[in-house]
Amino acid sequence: MIIEIDKGSGFCFGVTTAIEKAEETLRSGRQLSCLGDIVHNGMECARLNSMGLVTIEHEEFSRLHDATVLLRAHGEPPSTYATAQSNNITLIDATCPVVLALQKRIKKMYESTRGTDSDGRLSDIVIFGKNGHAEVLGLVGQTEGNAIVIEHLEDVRKLDFSHNIYLYSQTTKSLSEFHQIIEYCREHMEKGATFESFDTICRSVANRMPSICEFARKHELVLFVCGRKSSNGKVLYNACREHNPNTHLIEGPDEIDVAWLQGIDSIGICGATSTPKWLMEQCKEKIEELKD
């Protein structure tokens, strides 16, 4: 039996940096909290929790004083920084540089377009992303909560095409669906209204799509290792399934069903940008145990 781990899978730059900052701080003996799960992978979160990292949510953060808190790669809205300043919280900011640049672009656009243009036409900033996702909350925060979030192509119909529309995307969304949204907007804009789109999808994520699809086609069985809360994971997993219907999403080795391995000679193991390499290695080891 051939068992291959996809070389292109695993942590992206932003997640790697956040985890390295957390480990460095914890090794120094300092107490450290993280605002939200540092990565959308339960087993990696558990590993860092065992080192002393405490995961907190925004409600607890607002009550915290004189502490050190890590901001994960997803980024945060301006209100988080204001709370930290008023509560004497030291921030270790691990916001991904790609996300940070996107936040700045949206803030600049919002400040220049809020209200109406010279002929009284309203302007909307639209973000293609997952409602409630940490990154999206940070992006919407740059517009004082006024941005419109659309999750899927069918959601575009709720836009008012008599307004000027400035379209951005969460960094980990599907590039192909984003292009479909752009085309729909262009076709439906009313005469005189401005439409501009900005391709803000992270290329280190988008470029994984063709390679992971090719990887999925190579094997009889594909195990996609991913936390079920991962937005990027859902996109890549669905792409794998399109190219290989015999693809299963698992969070760890304990979810591997021995029945999947029957009559299989070639297995591929891959994952999301939030999937640690060590976890994929554990899945490979589990398969080797089960086949024996």
Side-chain angles (χ1 to χ4, degrees):
M1 181 186 288
I2 297 170
I3 308 171
E4 180 185 8
I5 296 176
D6 177 35
K7 292 182 174 63
S9 292
F11 290 152
C12 63
F13 170 80
V15 172
T16 299
T17 301
I19 289 173
E20 287 176 350
K21 286 185 176 183
E23 290 176 331
E24 181 182 354
T25 304
L26 292 168
R27 281 195 294 266
S28 72
R30 294 167 64 188
Q31 290 186 332
L32 180 64
S33 298
C34 181
L35 187 50
D37 290 338
I38 191 170
V39 62
H40 287 152
N41 185 280
M43 296 185 73
E44 179 65 9
C45 288
R47 183 186 73 84
L48 290 166
N49 292 158
S50 71
M51 293 179 63
L53 182 66
V54 178
T55 302
I56 61 172
E57 300 303 330
H58 283 82
E59 184 179 347
E60 187 175 355
F61 177 76
S62 66
R63 300 193 301 267
L64 204 61
H65 290 78
D66 309 314
T68 301
V69 176
L70 177 80
L71 301 186
R72 55 195 176 169
H74 302 91
E76 285 291 324
S79 57
T80 296
Y81 295 87
T83 298
Q85 186 171 9
S86 63
N87 290 6
N88 194 35
I89 295 172
T90 300
L91 294 178
I92 299 176
D93 197 342
T95 302
C96 171
V98 177
V99 174
L100 192 60
L102 175 54
Q103 287 183 347
K104 290 177 179 177
R105 289 179 68 177
I106 289 177
K107 183 177 182 180
K108 184 177 180 180
M109 179 63 76
Y110 176 69
E111 290 175 345
S112 66
T113 61
R114 73 173 76 187
T116 59
D117 63 15
S118 57
D119 65 357
R121 193 181 299 275
L122 295 171
S123 296
D124 292 330
I125 289 179
V126 179
I127 298 170
F128 171 43
K130 181 181 178 182
N131 268 304
H133 187 279
E135 180 187 328
V136 173
L137 292 175
L139 300 178
V140 172
Q142 309 306 315
T143 69
E144 300 177 316
N146 290 310
I148 299 169
V149 178
I150 55 173
E151 293 200 12
H152 305 288
L153 177 60
E154 54 266 28
D155 296 334
V156 181
R157 299 186 184 95
K158 71 182 181 183
L159 299 179
D160 188 335
F161 294 105
S162 68
H163 293 188
N164 297 326
I165 293 177
Y166 302 94
L167 176 67
Y168 297 83
S169 175
Q170 178 183 340
T171 60
T172 55
K173 293 296 282 183
S174 163
L175 187 58
S176 61
E177 191 171 5
F178 184 58
H179 286 160
Q180 291 173 27
I181 290 169
I182 291 171
E183 288 307 309
Y184 187 96
C185 289
R186 283 176 177 162
E187 292 170 1
H188 291 81
M189 294 300 296
E190 292 192 9
K191 186 176 180 180
T194 297
F195 173 69
E196 291 185 43
S197 62
F198 306 91
D199 183 352
T200 52
I201 294 173
C202 177
R203 283 304 180 267
S204 72
V205 174
N207 291 342
R208 293 189 182 193
M209 186 67 74
S211 61
I212 207 166
C213 291
E214 182 181 350
F215 180 81
R217 289 193 296 267
K218 283 172 54 180
H219 298 283
E220 296 174 83
L221 168 68
V222 173
L223 299 182
F224 191 90
V225 188
C226 170
R228 289 184 170 85
K229 291 194 291 184
S230 170
S231 178
N232 159 255
K234 289 175 183 175
V235 171
L236 292 176
Y237 166 66
N238 287 331
C240 283
R241 284 198 67 189
E242 285 180 17
H243 291 268
N244 186 336
N246 195 21
T247 297
H248 300 274
L249 189 149
I250 58 172
E251 289 201 340
D254 292 342
E255 295 186 11
I256 298 173
D257 188 337
V258 67
W260 299 341
L261 313 180
Q262 303 306 311
I264 298 295
D265 295 319
S266 176
I267 300 173
I269 301 173
C270 53
T273 56
S274 55
T275 305
K277 288 283 189 184
W278 63 261
L279 185 54
M280 289 184 279
E281 291 285 355
Q282 283 190 358
C283 290
K284 181 179 180 180
E285 292 169 5
K286 181 68 173 182
I287 293 168
E288 290 170 341
E289 289 176 18
L290 291 171
K291 72 183 181 66
D292 292 339

